């Protein structure tokens, strides 16, 4: 029976300046869990963006307004969770857990955007005509 060789995970660096300290976090760019989580965040963002149009175009009940607000807060939390899945819990706990509530929402968006860019770069390499597949 032939042996199946499983290559080592491919990684990228996430470079952060956190409280004046340079931090480099290696994270896998070939992680299915990371891809899935970021996809879910993007889908959730699109759903809420569609609802934001309703906020400006229609009169909403208090319950509808509260529901949209709750979903918006959930989206903010999902950015943080997606970063945690992407960089793995051990790196998250080491570098970000103790300060996560002090990191502004826009920084979570920037971090996840950088992770997605690294995913796209890796995916482009492996699926190109000169890729590894």
């Amino acid at each position: 029976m032939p042996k199946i060789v499983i290559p080592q995970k491919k990684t990228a660096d996430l470079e952060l300046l956190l409280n004046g300290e340079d931090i480099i976090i290696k994270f896998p760019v070939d992680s299915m869990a990371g891809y899935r989580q970021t996809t879910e965040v993007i889908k959730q963002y699109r759903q809420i963006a569609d609802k934001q149009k309703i906020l400006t175009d229609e009169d909403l009940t208090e319950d509808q307004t509260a529901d949209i607000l709750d979903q918006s807060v959930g989206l903010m939390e999902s950015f943080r969770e997606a970063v945690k899945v992407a960089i793995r819990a051990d790196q998250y706990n080491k570098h970000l857990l103790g300060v996560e509530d002090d990191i502004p929402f826009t920084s979570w968006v920037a971090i996840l955007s950088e992770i997605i860019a690294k995913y796209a770069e890796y995916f482009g390499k492996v699926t190109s005509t000169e890729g590894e597949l």
Side-chain angles (χ1 to χ4, degrees), residues 107-122:
S107 294
W108 289 111
V109 174
I111 292 168
L112 189 58
S113 294
E114 181 64 16
I115 289 169
I116 291 170
K118 299 289 186 177
Y119 284 167
E121 180 182 325
Y122 170 75

Side-chain angles (χ1 to χ4, degrees), residues 2 4 16 20 23 27 29 31 36 43-44 47 62 64-65 79 86 92 95 98 103 117 133:
I4 298 172
L16 304 175
I23 297 172
F27 68 97
V29 289
S31 164
R36 173 56 54 206
K43 286 171 31 179
Q44 190 178 4
Q47 291 172 349
E62 287 182 20
Q64 290 170 317
T65 303
F79 275 89
Y92 185 90
H95 297 291
I103 298 174
L133 294 180

